[in-house]
Amino acid sequence: MISAPRTAAGRAPLPFCHQSFHNLQELRHSASLANKVFIQRDYSEGTVCKFQTKFPSELDSRIEKTLFEDTVKTLNNYYAEAEKIGGHSYLEGCLACITAYLIFLCMETRYEKVLKKISRYIQEQNEKIYAPRGLLITDPIERGMRVIEISIYEDRGSSGSSSGSSTTSSSGR
């Protein structure tokens, strides 16, 4: 996992544990972006779309490990469902060839339907679980299916003068 630079204090304060947000726009407007965490793809089983379930240390004080793992496992299951090849996929392919792919102008593929289901799931998770904790998951489709991006927000009022200054952790030389 790769993470973006941390704040000057090293860890973001916990202002969101006691607040609830009515929508994701409220989170974006009332808080400043403190950090981003990227959950990488897991290629241990080939090129199927699957993400690592290892819990990033940057989220320790923000969300329970089980909630995070459940979210990633559910996303992995949805992507496995989307990529599953069966009779429906075969029929779609045949209809596409017969109609010179014009069929897709008037119908969604099964894959597109599952991607919409994934977007709704991420939206629901953001509203119910992640936004109240000052976190926001970005749909992997927006990042080319390479990573799950989790943005970490902090209250603008508590960030003070450190909001513009951040340090990067350097690797040992």
Side-chain angles (χ1 to χ4, degrees), residues 16-35:
F16 295 100
C17 295
H18 64 279
Q19 296 180 11
S20 77
F21 291 92
H22 299 291
N23 61 42
L24 301 178
Q25 293 298 335
E26 185 179 334
L27 172 63
R28 289 185 179 117
H29 293 296
S30 67
S32 62
L33 183 63
N35 199 359

Side-chain angles (χ1 to χ4, degrees), residues 91-148:
L91 181 61
E92 280 179 357
C94 290
L95 285 172
C97 288
I98 291 169
T99 63
Y101 292 89
L102 294 174
I103 190 80
F104 295 133
L105 294 175
C106 58
M107 75 172 246
E108 285 183 324
T109 64
R110 193 172 74 58
Y111 189 81
E112 291 169 328
K113 289 176 186 174
V114 175
L115 287 182
K116 284 186 178 182
K117 190 194 249 186
I118 291 168
S119 291
R120 285 191 304 269
Y121 174 74
I122 290 172
Q123 179 78 16
E124 175 186 306
Q125 292 294 295
N126 277 334
E127 290 172 357
K128 292 180 179 177
I129 296 173
Y130 288 86
R133 291 169 169 84
L135 303 170
L136 186 67
I137 299 177
T138 301
D139 193 339
I141 200 79
E142 294 180 30
R143 299 294 176 258
M145 303 291 281
R146 295 173 292 119
V147 294
I148 298 173

